Amino acid sequence: MNQPVPVPSSNAPARIGQGTAVEQSRAAAEVQAAVVVAQQCPRNIQAAVAEMRESCRQQGLAERAFFRYSRGGQNITGASVHLARELARVWGNVQYGLVEMRRDDDYGQSEMQAFAWDVQTNSRNSSTFIVPHRRDTKNGPKQLTDMRDIYETNANNGARRVREAIFAILPPWFVEEAKDLCNATLRDGGGKPLAQRVADAIKTFEGIGVTADRIEARLDRPSAKWTEHDVAQLIVIFKSIQRGEVTAEDEFPAARVSTDELTGGKADKPAATPVA
């Protein structure tokens, strides 16, 4: 009996090149090797905790450990992908990544997959999602055609999914202790006196056009009364501004100037009508 000939899917490539076939074989062998190594060299939890504590005491990691952005008029904060990657490294036997499964230029979108896999316990978390090739601007959505713009959009959207995938397979107590230690490191400020940290924060924000009075208005108190928590919060905000998660104008809106302030209280008034 004649068997029907399978029709290739229109979404699948018509052929697989030699380089792709070699890469598929290599990836399969790499996965098998990772499982074997994880079983032969299981993680030392005590050593992982000690290394996590040491990493979270470093000012460089603590300053990148949290993100901040605005949504619906509210500020959203949380642990960043930088902290997630560091915790995956010290926990050990964890693989994670972001894959562009398919790009559709006709519809202007990419199908992506983010994953994290504990190869020792075989705990895996993954998510598949669509990233439109467009960017939101003040003048409305802008369609992206430049390959670099598309790559950066895919990477930025994927980083959030990778972060959540890593945190989903790590023990919650491990993640929470890391966040607490990073917060403590930010408040400590590398051992500098609080007055010096306040002065450094003001100088840093002045470098991006944010004056001290705008910061004081944001914190609702003069710089002389700022606390360690205030300075730590400013560090998170500054790093988020650098990464483009928020803007300086959103976090530190300029004070509105009234007409009286502009005219020195001498605004023109209509002349009184003389009484006959």
Side-chain angles (χ1 to χ4, degrees), residues 143-155:
Q143 196 68 24
L144 302 178
T145 56
D146 185 80
M147 299 299 292
R148 181 175 179 177
D149 290 339
I150 293 174
Y151 163 77
E152 291 177 350
T153 299
N154 289 346

Side-chain angles (χ1 to χ4, degrees), residues 183-189 192-199 201-202 215-216 219-236:
N183 273 315
T185 301
L186 287 175
R187 290 192 297 270
D188 178 67
K192 290 183 180 180
L194 179 58
Q196 180 63 46
R197 281 182 275 158
V198 169
I202 293 175
I215 304 176
E216 291 174 339
L219 298 178
D220 197 25
R221 51 184 161 272
S223 58
K225 294 186 178 181
W226 291 356
T227 65
E228 291 87 351
H229 177 77
D230 293 329
V231 178
Q233 182 184 17
L234 290 175
I235 293 175
V236 174

Side-chain angles (χ1 to χ4, degrees), residues 68-114:
R68 180 186 180 93
Y69 64 89
S70 298
R71 176 191 293 168
Q74 295 183 341
N75 291 320
I76 310 298
T77 61
S80 70
V81 67
H82 304 291
L83 179 60
R85 289 169 177 162
E86 177 63 11
L87 295 185
R89 183 189 70 81
V90 301
W91 187 244
N93 290 336
V94 172
Q95 293 189 359
Y96 61 86
L98 178 68
V99 180
E100 184 178 25
M101 303 175 65
R102 180 172 179 268
R103 178 177 296 183
D104 193 328
D105 291 326
D106 293 333
Y107 285 90
Q109 62 185 24
S110 293
E111 184 176 356
M112 311 288 293
Q113 183 182 73

Side-chain angles (χ1 to χ4, degrees), residues 176-270:
E176 290 303 317
E177 181 174 348
K179 291 193 290 186
D180 290 342
L181 286 172
C182 285
N183 273 315
T185 301
L186 287 175
R187 290 192 297 270
D188 178 67
K192 290 183 180 180
L194 179 58
Q196 180 63 46
R197 281 182 275 158
V198 169
D200 290 344
I202 293 175
K203 183 177 180 181
T204 298
F205 276 97
E206 286 178 345
I208 59 173
V210 178
T211 57
D213 58 327
R214 290 170 63 181
I215 304 176
E216 291 174 339
R218 171 69 173 76
L219 298 178
D220 197 25
R221 51 184 161 272
S223 58
K225 294 186 178 181
W226 291 356
T227 65
E228 291 87 351
H229 177 77
D230 293 329
V231 178
Q233 182 184 17
L234 290 175
I235 293 175
V236 174
I237 294 174
F238 180 75
K239 292 297 181 179
S240 294
I241 292 174
Q242 282 189 318
R243 293 191 294 264
E245 297 165 348
V246 294
T247 64
E249 290 72 21
D250 290 337
E251 290 290 337
F252 307 98
R256 294 184 178 181
V257 181
S258 66
T259 303
D260 286 345
E261 290 174 328
L262 288 173
T263 60
K266 298 180 180 179
D268 293 336
K269 298 181 181 179

Side-chain angles (χ1 to χ4, degrees), residues 6-14:
V7 178
S9 169
S10 60
N11 293 333

Side-chain angles (χ1 to χ4, degrees), residues 154-181:
N154 289 346
N156 290 338
N157 281 272
R160 294 191 288 269
R161 272 77 172 192
V162 170
R163 177 193 69 212
E164 296 305 321
I166 294 175
F167 285 147
I169 66 169
L170 293 177
W173 59 265
F174 188 72
V175 176
E176 290 303 317
E177 181 174 348
K179 291 193 290 186
D180 290 342
L181 286 172

